[in-house]
Amino acid sequence: MVGSMDTSLFDTLLDTLNYNVTGWLVYDSTNDNAEAKTVSDFDKVVYNDYGLVLADGIKRYGDADITITLNLTMDNLGDGANYAFFNGKSYVMPKVPVLYSALTTGSAANDAKIYGTDTNAFVLSKGDVVDIVLNNDDTAKHPFHLHGHNFQVLWRSSESEGYFNHSNVTFASVPMRRDTLVVNPMGNFVIRFVADNPGIWFFHCHIEWHMDAGLAAVMVEAPFYLQEHMTIPQNHYDVCNASGTLTAGNAAGNMVDFYDLAGENKEVAPLPAGFTPRGIVALAFSCVAAVLGLASIVWYGIAPVTAGRVAI
């Protein structure tokens, strides 16, 4: 316990503690490891890995069957906290995990609506070639991670280039592959993958508090295939039951009408436009108090000087 530790020893430990933990990705063990850098060093020197050409030579996948455009913004909601948004929606976890909804809603599983108003769900068919176009309206860079796939990086803009414009770019013929990619401030990127891994795959910012603030989307990949081939182990249901998590129906747990989302989890209400009734009342009382205060000052100022007042 720190409270019982010798103070001088504790100070020594703090002075010698190495906050920078570094690992090396080694391709050739005969070479020396590069000198370790601190996080601040990486902020100063940015290596643009977009230009890397893969040794396996896998060419760019064919034209996209579906293009998902995600516009990233940051803003406050009605509770005063800052949230992150894709296309004006801040991700909220549904009452029923998306996987269970996909497995229990029959033909409706192919409709993104049943997965929730603020779940940012996109349904993909098995074998689709999928492009994700991400436009960053924020002045900070963000690392984005896609579960379930190593995607091709067709394009990444420099800073402050705005929204993606296909007519201004040429896609790489042998794109590098990643599962995580940084988008530059006020920039954009385009990634491509083949929907050949049926499942429910999260796409999210890898800065944890940004993901918690809603910067996430869900790829519902081949839900009909999942219904035919996937069986959930009983211990998964046991965990859900123990935590009170629903395991069937749409995002709200409705098993009768999959398009009735009454009672679903939703994002915090937005800040009201203009004045609310409470705000109007508060403003009115504030104005009255201000006028009375000014009146008392004026009255005091014009009152005649009487005995007992001392001039300074």
Side-chain angles (χ1 to χ4, degrees):
M1 292 176 61
V2 174
S4 61
M5 183 183 294
D6 180 77
T7 304
S8 60
L9 175 60
F10 184 64
D11 290 340
T12 301
L13 289 173
L14 284 179
D15 291 338
T16 58
L17 180 63
N18 177 20
Y19 294 95
N20 188 53
V21 179
T22 306
W24 284 266
L25 180 62
V26 177
Y27 291 98
D28 187 346
S29 59
T30 62
N31 294 329
D32 293 333
N33 291 331
E35 182 181 354
K37 294 182 179 295
T38 63
V39 173
S40 59
D41 291 328
F42 287 104
D43 288 336
K44 299 171 187 174
V45 180
V46 178
Y47 177 74
N48 186 7
D49 56 356
Y50 170 69
L52 293 176
V53 178
L54 296 182
D56 59 23
I58 294 178
K59 296 186 180 298
R60 183 175 69 240
Y61 303 139
D63 292 342
D65 299 302
I66 178 173
T67 298
I68 298 169
T69 300
L70 300 173
N71 299 326
L72 185 168
T73 53
M74 311 285 283
D75 203 353
N76 291 341
L77 288 176
D79 59 0
N82 190 249
Y83 289 86
F85 304 82
F86 277 145
N87 302 338
K89 292 183 180 294
S90 184
Y91 173 85
V92 177
M93 184 174 65
K95 289 185 175 179
V96 178
V98 175
L99 176 61
Y100 294 123
S101 288
L103 292 174
T104 60
T105 53
S107 60
N110 211 41
D111 192 332
K113 294 186 183 72
I114 66 129
Y115 299 110
T117 304
D118 299 320
T119 309
N120 283 327
F122 297 89
V123 177
L124 312 176
S125 297
K126 192 172 187 295
D128 276 349
V129 177
V130 184
D131 280 1
I132 296 179
V133 177
L134 193 142
N135 298 307
N136 181 16
D137 267 332
D138 189 34
T139 55
K141 57 188 176 183
H142 297 265
F144 280 95
H145 175 54
L146 175 64
H147 291 233
H149 292 278
N150 293 320
F151 51 76
Q152 293 184 330
V153 181
L154 303 189
W155 168 256
R156 179 172 57 196
S157 78
S158 300
E159 295 185 21
S160 302
E161 290 194 11
Y163 280 25
F164 173 69
N165 185 341
H166 197 294
S167 63
N168 295 337
V169 305
T170 301
F171 288 159
S173 58
V174 182
M176 70 161 178
R177 292 195 303 278
R178 288 284 185 268
D179 65 8
T180 305
L181 182 68
V182 172
V183 64
N184 285 313
M186 305 299 290
N188 60 77
F189 67 54
V190 183
I191 61 176
R192 179 172 291 176
F193 64 96
V194 178
D196 55 3
N197 187 19
I200 310 301
W201 306 120
F202 217 35
F203 177 75
H204 62 94
C205 181
H206 230 309
I207 299 174
E208 197 74 15
W209 53 93
H210 288 174
M211 182 181 70
D212 289 344
L215 201 48
V218 182
M219 306 297 143
V220 183
E221 187 171 329
F224 294 159
Y225 183 93
L226 294 175
Q227 291 176 6
E228 294 173 1
H229 295 87
M230 175 171 277
T231 301
I232 302 295
Q234 182 57 45
N235 58 1
H236 284 228
Y237 289 117
D238 293 341
V239 170
C240 289
N241 292 335
S243 64
T245 301
L246 302 177
T247 57
N250 66 8
N254 192 323
M255 298 179 61
V256 177
D257 182 353
F258 297 138
Y259 291 92
D260 180 1
L261 292 168
E264 67 173 330
N265 294 334
K266 298 194 70 174
E267 67 180 32
V268 174
L271 288 168
F275 287 103
T276 64
R278 290 177 63 185
I280 293 172
V281 172
L283 179 61
F285 276 100
S286 297
C287 291
V288 170
V291 170
L292 291 175
L294 288 171
S296 65
I297 293 171
V298 171
W299 175 83
Y300 183 82
I302 64 176
V305 176
T306 60
R309 290 192 180 181
V310 179
I312 297 177

